[in-house]
Structures are given as C-alpha cells and as structure tokens.
Amino acid sequence: MATLVLIPGLVSDSIVWAPLAEAVAQHMAVHAADVSRTSSISTMAESILAATDGDLIAVGHSMGGRVGMEMARIAPDRVRGLVLANTGHHPKRDGEEIRRQQMIDLGHRSMEELADEWLPPMLSPARLTDAELIASLRAMVLRADPDMHERQIRALINRPNASAYIAELGCPILLVAARHDGWSPIVQHQEIADAASDTELVIIEDAGHFAPVERPVEVTAAIASWLTRRFGGIMLENTATIPDTPLFDRAGSIRGYQLNKMAMALGQPANRDAFKADEDAYLARFGLDDEEKAAVKNRDWHEMVRLGGNLFFILKIAAVDPTPITQIGAAQAGMSHEDFLYERLGKKRNG
C-alpha cells in the first residue's frame, strides 16, 4: 500500500492536512513531511524521498505542491499520484525577488507583523471574520521563525521550473483550486491540468489560498474520493465488509459528501424546481463525478449508496419524482419490483 505524504506550504505545518490525515489514517500509512530545514525545493523533495520507503502519493499545499511535483520528477517509479492544492508551476517572475525580500525583512523584524500582513489576503473574504480560523493560522505562522521563513522564501525564489517537465509526469494528478484564491488562481491550476497527461480538477467554493484549512470537509472529501477511485479502493482495503452490501462508514461518508449535499439541497423548493428543469445542470453545481451523475439520473439507489449516499439524504430525490418506496426497496435488495412485492411484502402475483 502506498504511503500518503502530506506536505505543507510556506511557514505552515501539519495543521494544514490534519483533517485528511485523520480521515485516512486507519486505511493507509501517512507521513507528515518536514520542509522547514532546507532552502531548496529539490532538496526538500530528496529529503522526503529519503525519509520514506516504497510507493508514495504526495499531497502538497502551495509550496508543498511544488515539492510534490519535484518528488515525482526525481522518483517517477515511486510517486504513484499527486494531489496539488493551491499551488503553481511557473518559474520565478521578473521582479519577484524584490517583493520576496521585503517579506524576508518583515519576518526578521517581527513574525507577528508578518502574520498580520500575509494571512488576510490568503483567505476568502468571507472567512476574515472567523476569529478561530485566524487565530489558528496566526499561531501556525508564529510557530515558525524568521530563519525558517527566509529559507523557504529562498527556496521559492530559486524554485525549479515545473512547467518545463510537468507534461512528462505520468502519474495521476488531482488539482484542488479555490474560488477565491488570488495567489494561486483557478486558471493556474487549469494550465497544469491542460499540460499534464492524467489530471482532475476540483474547485472548492467559498475558500481562498488556505482551502484545506478554510474548507477541510470539502477538501478532504474531494481527495478521499479521488484516492478511492484512482487507486482501486486503497482506502477501504482493511475495512470489514458484508458480501454485496455497501457500508456507510467514515470513508463512505467522505466519499459521498457531494452526493449527499446535493440531495439535502432538494429540501428547498427552488432547488427542486432546478432539478426538475435540468438535472445535468443541477448536478454539475455540486461537483458530482460521472459515476455519481449516472447513478442519480438512472435512479440507481443501490449504486448511490455504494458511492457514499446516505439513504436519509438521497431519498429526497424520490420526493421530486416521486418514486414508490417499494421500488427503492427492490433496488436495494437487488430484486425486480414484482419479486420484491411478492417475496418481501406478501403481495399476490397477477394470474
């Protein structure tokens, strides 16, 4: 089984990926990477590779995404997949050193002032009033020191040009962009998606550059879904199962987050009208993948449950059609409607 390597970004630490680590720890090995000690993206990548064994799936946020791409370049035989969140691939831009040096100087003067200036533009405007979130991120920055901050800034100034080799990366890549990320905008992630050979792009709504912390449920669900789909149920390998029965466990709950969110929204009349008018457009609003869309459109209740649907939520779809509850029961039992009525409910067959 591959090890999930969680890589934080600039002056960040394990809290960025803590929700994901907690969600998958029972199902696969997790390694929290340390990128605080060196001043080179390539050296960071090499040190993580040296600290781990076997196959890896690298999950990087911001600067950590650049480290993950470099790991895949250095060791393509070991890096089986990449998750790149709020990151970029361009080389250093003209004049960038001046702005970066100003931040280095500010950090050496006061890490408190650095946190106060640097953090707000990194967040969605809607989260700027979230005192608990701001306090958590500010405490994270203050756990770093000016020298660590400078080392990481130097690493970014001298970063490898990932755009020169990203097309050669053969592993599957999940790109996690955020609607309000002005630092690493969606278009930047789309460029990576267009350049690489095997990519998926998910957009997190109501989040900025720190999407994994701002919207941990949504980000964790997106990554867990991708891991499960792309690596053959790797997250469920050690889960006890009942033959032919999909279990609604923690992994299933995470996998079905978007599906259940979509179904719950049908509690609002406007959403029911939108669903009836154009199912494809309505499902696209919630970021459902092709499997989930097909299950909903076919009213395949057993498949929706397999994909993480909670019957309590997805039954709201039946209220829109409406679908007879006995038909849903037959689907869950894997029987025809007539056989279900006869065998389970004691109805008489015609003739």
Side-chain angles (χ1 to χ4, degrees):
M1 181 185 295
T3 296
L4 197 69
V5 176
L6 305 179
I7 315 169
L10 179 66
V11 290
S12 299
D13 56 30
S14 61
I15 72 164
V16 172
W17 292 120
L20 178 63
E22 180 183 359
V24 305
Q26 296 182 50
H27 308 291
M28 63 191 304
V30 176
H31 175 77
D34 181 1
V35 290
S36 66
R37 302 173 184 273
T38 66
S39 56
S40 162
I41 298 292
S42 296
T43 304
M44 291 174 186
E46 290 166 354
S47 67
I48 296 171
L49 290 168
T52 53
D53 297 314
D55 290 342
L56 308 173
I57 299 170
V59 181
H61 174 252
S62 192
M63 181 189 74
R66 291 184 175 275
V67 176
M69 286 186 280
E70 190 69 357
M71 290 170 61
R73 182 191 68 81
I74 294 170
D77 56 326
R78 291 184 59 196
V79 179
R80 293 180 57 197
L82 285 173
V83 178
L84 307 176
N86 307 103
T87 196
H89 61 306
H90 297 111
K92 180 183 65 176
R93 304 178 189 276
D94 292 341
E96 184 176 329
E97 300 99 319
I98 298 173
R99 179 176 51 81
R100 297 280 193 183
Q101 185 61 53
Q102 291 172 343
M103 297 304 291
I104 290 173
D105 295 341
L106 178 58
H108 280 290
R109 184 168 71 246
S110 169
M111 288 298 288
E112 289 83 359
E113 291 183 23
L114 174 69
D116 292 340
E117 179 173 327
W118 181 66
L119 281 173
M122 294 289 167
L123 304 176
S124 168
R127 305 311 304 275
L128 294 177
T129 57
D130 188 332
E132 183 177 352
L133 173 67
I134 298 295
S136 176
L137 288 173
R138 193 172 189 277
M140 177 190 73
V141 173
L142 296 183
R143 284 194 291 273
D145 60 46
D147 292 333
M148 170 186 159
H149 174 243
E150 179 171 0
R151 284 193 297 272
Q152 293 183 333
I153 290 290
R154 299 292 180 200
L156 287 168
I157 291 174
N158 298 304
R159 61 188 179 267
N161 179 9
S163 63
Y165 64 74
I166 196 159
E168 300 171 8
L169 300 181
C171 65
I173 300 173
L174 174 66
L175 294 148
V176 181
R179 182 67 65 187
H180 302 299
D181 186 354
W183 187 257
S184 300
I186 294 171
V187 65
Q188 190 163 278
H189 295 78
Q190 187 62 58
E191 289 175 3
I192 298 175
D194 293 341
S197 60
D198 185 358
T199 62
E200 294 180 36
L201 171 63
V202 61
I203 299 171
I204 306 300
E205 301 294 338
D206 302 318
H209 190 68
F210 272 98
V213 185
E214 295 174 71
R215 297 294 175 192
V217 173
E218 290 87 341
V219 172
T220 297
I223 295 173
S225 171
W226 179 80
L227 287 170
T228 302
R229 287 184 286 105
R230 296 310 306 265
F231 296 95
I234 190 169
M235 293 182 63
L236 306 177
E237 184 171 300
N238 296 323
T239 302
T241 59
I242 301 171
D244 300 320
T245 303
L247 297 180
F248 190 74
D249 54 10
R250 182 182 181 85
S253 175
I254 293 171
R255 168 68 175 91
Y257 174 81
Q258 297 297 125
L259 178 62
N260 291 318
K261 183 177 179 181
M262 176 279 301
M264 279 298 293
L266 291 172
Q268 300 177 17
N271 287 332
R272 291 196 294 272
D273 291 342
F275 183 86
K276 292 177 182 178
D278 189 338
E279 284 191 27
D280 286 319
Y282 179 80
L283 298 178
R285 280 169 47 189
F286 293 87
L288 270 64
D289 62 31
D290 290 340
E291 280 187 306
E292 292 165 335
K293 290 177 181 177
V296 173
K297 293 174 69 176
N298 294 330
R299 302 301 188 265
D300 189 337
W301 306 97
H302 193 275
E303 177 69 358
M304 281 188 263
V305 172
R306 187 188 73 81
L307 294 172
N310 183 325
L311 273 175
F312 178 79
F313 299 141
I314 63 176
L315 280 176
K316 292 186 180 297
I317 299 171
V320 177
D321 286 335
T323 302
I325 193 68
T326 52
Q327 186 172 319
I328 297 173
Q332 285 297 101
M335 303 167 67
S336 71
H337 192 210
E338 182 182 356
D339 287 345
F340 181 81
L341 293 175
Y342 175 74
E343 295 182 19
R344 298 295 175 87
L345 300 182
K347 301 289 185 180
K348 293 183 179 181
R349 295 187 188 273
N350 292 330

